Amino acid sequence: MANNPLVFYFEKLKDDYDLKTYGDIAKYLDISIGTVKNAYGGRTINPSKRLVEHIAVHFNKNPNVILKDIYNGSFVEPCNEYTKLVTLSLYYNFEYALLYDDQNFIMSHKTDFPLHLANMHVNAIVRLSGHEVKLTAIVEWSRLNSILAERCNCTYNPILKNDYILMALSNLYYMICSDEFDDLKRLIVVFAYDEEEDYQLFRKMCNDSKHRVLPLLYDENAEYSIRDVDMLNDIG
């Protein structure tokens, strides 16, 4: 059976708020009962932006948070909540299309890390709408950083922070420029809020006018859940 994010969301609401019927769900969300029935009947699988906006206004929440609640079970590769929020913000606010596998889960990938260091998890694959044909892969800095420390057989040392970031950048550029990953246009590296120092160093050292490797810092207080969106706005 194909993954249905809307049904996942409705079922979570039923459990959390003791909702019994389609009518209860519709009333709680202030939507038509037909919208609920269409989801359970498989006629609607993924939410429209209009529906997301309506629920966000109804609960006075950021649309990214509503999307995360809806798609929370749709990420195949394990990742942090902030990575899901950044991914879904790219979809909702910056015209990146979500790509799905044949079971309607968000497309991901597990691949050999460049230079045979380890397995790197690509948490989501998206595509910038419009003229771009190639894909954008989204990865987490926390995992990449821990992989590098592990494979170098050493404990992470803040004093060597620049070396770790240089090593990460060299591997990411190797990956994005290799024939094996010819279908990739861009790699987005997501940093947690408490990784700001790493993010700032990464951004400073990532002198790439084409934005082939793009660092993004999650910030729950930012309008788009992303601290700096200047580089996103420069793409195109």
Side-chain angles (χ1 to χ4, degrees):
M1 177 183 261
N3 172 51
N4 189 319
L6 273 176
V7 170
F8 173 90
Y9 179 57
F10 293 159
E11 286 295 300
K12 185 70 165 57
L13 292 179
K14 285 174 66 177
D15 291 342
D16 289 348
Y17 301 103
D18 196 29
L19 308 177
K20 303 296 186 184
T21 66
Y22 293 168
D24 291 341
I25 297 170
K27 182 177 181 181
Y28 181 76
L29 295 173
D30 190 30
I31 60 177
S32 72
I33 193 170
T35 300
V36 180
K37 288 182 177 180
N38 283 340
Y40 278 96
R43 291 178 292 278
T44 303
I45 297 176
N46 299 311
S48 66
K49 289 189 177 182
R50 181 178 178 182
L51 177 61
V52 172
E53 183 177 357
H54 171 81
I55 297 173
V57 170
H58 181 62
F59 289 127
N60 192 27
K61 288 186 175 182
N62 189 314
N64 301 331
V65 174
I66 301 299
L67 275 168
K68 194 269 295 179
D69 290 342
I70 293 173
Y71 282 103
N72 208 23
S74 296
F75 287 79
V76 176
E77 293 295 339
C79 60
N80 289 294
E81 297 295 290
Y82 62 81
T83 301
K84 297 177 183 179
L85 282 160
V86 168
T87 300
L88 294 166
S89 178
L90 292 172
Y91 158 70
Y92 190 82
N93 300 297
F94 297 97
E95 299 185 359
Y96 277 83
L98 298 173
L99 301 182
Y100 304 94
D101 63 19
D102 56 4
Q103 293 299 313
N104 201 50
F105 289 94
I106 292 174
M107 193 175 291
S108 60
H109 190 54
K110 185 184 295 183
T111 184
D112 288 336
F113 194 80
L115 308 185
H116 310 289
L117 289 180
N119 285 327
M120 183 173 75
H121 296 268
V122 172
N123 301 108
I125 296 175
V126 296
R127 179 188 287 119
L128 183 61
S129 301
H131 65 278
E132 278 196 6
V133 176
K134 293 187 176 184
L135 308 175
T136 293
I138 299 174
V139 300
E140 287 185 336
W141 169 247
S142 60
R143 176 165 179 81
L144 178 57
N145 193 20
S146 64
I147 284 173
L148 290 172
E150 178 185 350
R151 294 297 168 169
C152 293
N153 197 28
C154 59
T155 304
Y156 179 70
N157 185 345
I159 297 175
L160 303 176
K161 192 182 293 284
N162 283 23
D163 293 339
Y164 280 94
I165 292 174
L166 276 173
M167 191 187 310
L169 280 168
S170 66
N171 279 275
L172 292 174
Y173 277 108
Y174 176 92
M175 177 177 175
I176 201 74
C177 295
S178 67
D179 292 340
E180 183 181 356
F181 299 97
D182 186 56
D183 59 336
L184 283 184
K185 172 74 172 181
R186 185 174 299 109
L187 277 164
I188 289 178
V189 184
V190 181
F191 291 75
Y193 183 78
D194 60 1
E195 295 171 331
E196 182 177 1
E197 184 178 350
D198 286 10
Y199 162 76
Q200 295 294 355
L201 279 171
F202 193 105
R203 179 176 167 130
K204 182 179 179 180
M205 297 165 73
C206 187
N207 186 19
D208 176 10
S209 60
K210 294 183 178 180
H211 304 310
R212 299 294 303 277
V213 177
L214 183 66
L216 295 178
L217 177 66
Y218 167 71
D219 184 347
E220 67 176 339
N221 296 315
E223 181 179 1
Y224 303 119
S225 303
I226 300 168
R227 170 75 61 82
D228 304 307
V229 298
D230 52 324
M231 288 189 290
L232 285 169
N233 291 329
D234 287 344
I235 295 172

